[in-house]
């Protein structure tokens, strides 16, 4: 082997090591969060944390001091661990269902107990399937109005998209097509509003919204989010409109279209990828925002606030919070993948 | 089809920039008129004012007897081919041609018939289902032309339609444009900065500079009777060669004398210059009117600087008074750099200019 090819191999190795490290760094937290959201509470607080949720639970039933002794197979210990000593079957069922995240009915439990008593053995073994969605069910069941909050978040995100696309899009078109005094200064200044952290301007925001009667209202939050996303929308759409030659519109006008028709039939379809990208940013901005939502809502929180609250206080369970986090991420991921199709036209299928 | 009249047309951008200055022009019915000039001469602005894409500062535009000065573009019944084609990338070729017709509220059958007819004429019939991005530059150009033909406009505007094509395609397309014009007989106004393109397609050329018309005429007129030194220089490749000189009378004939030559004028040229009151003048000689002759007949002799063979002819350059003079000569006899050549002017095709006004001397306004 020549030194050149060794050099090449070394460089390749370093490159792939780098890429792999990067990928692991990005994907590991996501993997961790997803796994955690499917773990039972008992698994979630084990050390080391299981890499994957168990798909079934191996249980052992025997006789204890206070009644029946329930043991569960511990993967990390490679042995059964005793978890409960009770003669209260309800308590036992609830424990299996909630702490072990495992499906079991009263009848199934009674049957196993009958099996223990009739067999004359010291103990019986049985296996029950896991309820992997237990955390999600619990999250939406026990968390204070998670479903209405989800609806509100969707509503807010959609209103934000509409407001920022209409106002930001029109401004972007003006910036791209017309020369006017102070254009560059104005274009730059639309980004200024993004400089201020939500917390810093919390009090004025609350006062203004309260005056408008929009405090604790989805509309109020949508307005606040729109202020931020309009700036970005202006920049995205302005550069998109700049990329569409004016002659496309002029041609339409020469060939019989009004100004409005030439905009709607020619420019708008051509700008669609850019508008989709702007919509995605507006959606993600509104969907993910938490600080302003905490400040500006009281009885009508958004979904991000609800997820945040599951992390707090004595009720906070990491696996529940993880389920909430995943539940919050899924719509954003779906929306991004949905809109990606249109954004891709910018680089792929259609060039202006 | 119609005539176009531009009356005292003026366009100012802001207060100080005058793009078009008091332009008067009549475009005849079915004429192929070319607006020619260097960039920034106002030719495109003039065309955009006719299309309605640029507001008129002063003056009027008439299409036949209809004033269109302030009408929006869609009400003018003109069509246009843009420099960058401006075919709509999100529509198929068919829809590109059909969309203007749909805006005219034509029936589906009518539209279909027209689209297929015009696509046949410009031979893009098999491209109708494609999107513009799937087409070559030349094909997109055809689509733009087809779209413009399909609306049967009164006036056809073409804004440097060939300048984005490669050299070979450009020459092919201009032949085709001329053929299409012959078929449609639409009044056509064509903007270009390429004088050879203008010469080859135009019925009449309007040469513009700094917002004003320098000369109008058929290609032959502007070539053979250039109105001034600007036109003589702008038209023709290689451009006209200019020689300074002064008029002297000797032995009863007029001579034009220069430090390096003394040319006795032919009786026709002498008659032309009789009326010219000044002494100094500029002789303009087209490259093909400088002849290679025997030493005995030579007006002047010089050393060849460069020879550029062109196949059918050769371009010979020599230096004269710190300027390069170019001769277009037959390939025989062969000449190479450094050779001594002997030249004479073809007296029947000389141009004379007043060095002060730069106007041609044979023109009434300079006489």
């Amino acid at each position: 082997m020549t030194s050149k090819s060794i050099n090449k191999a070394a460089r390749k190795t370093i490159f792939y090591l780098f890429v792999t490290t990067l990928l692991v760094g990005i994907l590991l937290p996501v993997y961790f969060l997803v796994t955690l959201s499917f773990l039972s509470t008992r698994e979630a607080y084990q050390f080391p944390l299981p890499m994957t949720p168990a798909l079934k639970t191996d249980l052992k039933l025997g006789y204890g001091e206070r009644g029946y002794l329930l043991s569960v197979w511990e993967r990390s210990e490679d042995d059964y661990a005793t978890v409960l000593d009770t003669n209260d079957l309800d308590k036992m069922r609830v424990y299996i269902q909630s702490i072990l995240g495992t499906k079991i009915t009263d009848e199934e439990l009674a049957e196993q107990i009958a099996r223990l008593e009739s067999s004359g053995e010291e103990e019986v073994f049985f296996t029950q399937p896991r309820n992997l969605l237990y955390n999600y069910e619990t999250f939406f069941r026990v968390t204070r109005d998670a479903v209405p909050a989800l609806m509100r978040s969707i509503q807010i995100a959609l209103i934000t998209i509409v407001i920022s696309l209409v106002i930001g899009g029109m401004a972007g078109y003006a910036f791209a097509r017309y020369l006017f005094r102070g254009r560059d200064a104005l274009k730059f200044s639309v980004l200024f509003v993004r400089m201020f952290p939500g917390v810093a301007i919390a009090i004025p925001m609350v006062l203004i919204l309260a005056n408008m009667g929009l405090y604790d209202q989805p509309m109020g939050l949508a307005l606040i989010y729109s202020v931020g996303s309009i700036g970005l929308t202006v920049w995205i759409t302005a550069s998109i409109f700049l990329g569409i030659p004016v002659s496309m519109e002029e041609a339409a006008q020469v060939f019989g279209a009004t100004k409005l028709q030439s905009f709607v039939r020619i420019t708008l379809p051509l700008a669609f990828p850019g508008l989709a990208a702007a919509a995605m940013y507006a959606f993600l901005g509104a969907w993910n925002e938490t600080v302003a939502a905490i400040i500006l809502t009281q009885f009508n929180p958004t979904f991000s606030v609800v997820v945040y609250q599951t992390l707090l206080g004595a009720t906070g369970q990491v696996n529940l919070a993880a389920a909430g986090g995943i539940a919050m991420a899924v719509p954003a991921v779906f929306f991004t993948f949905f809109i990606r199709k249109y954004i891709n036209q910018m680089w792929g299928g259609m060039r202006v | 089809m119609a005539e176009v009249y531009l009356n005292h047309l003026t366009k100012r951008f802001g207060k100080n920039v005058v793009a078009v200055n008091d332009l008067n022009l009549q475009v005849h019915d079915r004429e192929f008129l070319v607006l020619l000039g260097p960039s920034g001469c106002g030719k495109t602005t003039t065309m955009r004012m006719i299309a309605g894409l640029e507001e008129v500062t002063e003056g009027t535009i008439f299409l036949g007897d209809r004033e269109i000065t302030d009408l929006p573009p869609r009400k003018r019944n003109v069509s246009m081919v843009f420099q960058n084609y401006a075919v709509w990338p999100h529509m198929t070729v068919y829809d590109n041609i059909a969309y203007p017709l749909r805006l005219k509220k034509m029936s589906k059958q009518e539209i279909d018939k027209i689209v297929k007819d015009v696509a046949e004429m410009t031979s893009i019939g098999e491209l109708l289902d494609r999107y513009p991005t799937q087409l070559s530059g030349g094909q997109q150009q055809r689509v733009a032309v087809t779209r413009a033909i399909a609306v049967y406009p009164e006036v056809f505007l073409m804004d440097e339609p060939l300048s984005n094509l490669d050299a070979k395609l450009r020459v092919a397309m201009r032949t085709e444009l001329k053929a299409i014009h012959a078929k449609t007989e639409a009044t056509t106004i064509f903007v270009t900065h390429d004088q050879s393109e203008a010469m080859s397609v135009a019925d009449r050329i309007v040469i513009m500079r700094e917002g004003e018309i320098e000369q109008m005429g058929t290609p032959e007129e502007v070539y053979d009777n250039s109105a001034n030194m600007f036109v003589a220089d702008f038209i023709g490749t290689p451009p006209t060669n200019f020689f300074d000189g002064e008029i002297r009378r000797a032995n009863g004939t007029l001579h034009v004398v220069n430090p390096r030559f003394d040319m006795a004028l032919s009786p026709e040229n002498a008659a032309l210059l009789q009326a010219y009151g000044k002494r100094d003048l500029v002789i303009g000689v087209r490259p093909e009117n400088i002849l290679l002759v025997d030493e005995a007949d030579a007006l002047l002799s010089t050393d060849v600087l460069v020879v550029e063979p062109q196949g059918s002819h050769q371009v010979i350059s020599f230096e004269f008074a710190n300027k390069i003079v170019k001769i277009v000569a037959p390939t025989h006899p062969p000449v190479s750099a450094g050779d001594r050549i002997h030249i004479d002017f073809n007296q029947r095709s000389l141009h004379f200019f007043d060095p002060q006004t730069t106007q041609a001397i044979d023109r009434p306004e300079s006489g």
Side-chain angles (χ1 to χ4, degrees), chain B residues 303-307 335-340:
Chain B
D303 293 332
V304 173
L305 191 67
V306 175
V307 178
V335 177
S336 49
D339 287 0
R340 190 87 183 154

Side-chain angles (χ1 to χ4, degrees), chain B residues 89-105:
Chain B
H90 59 303
M91 296 184 189
T92 60
V93 170
Y94 185 97
D95 287 332
N96 261 283
I97 303 167
Y99 179 58
L101 306 174
R102 290 193 192 119
L103 286 170
K104 291 186 164 193
K105 307 243 187 308

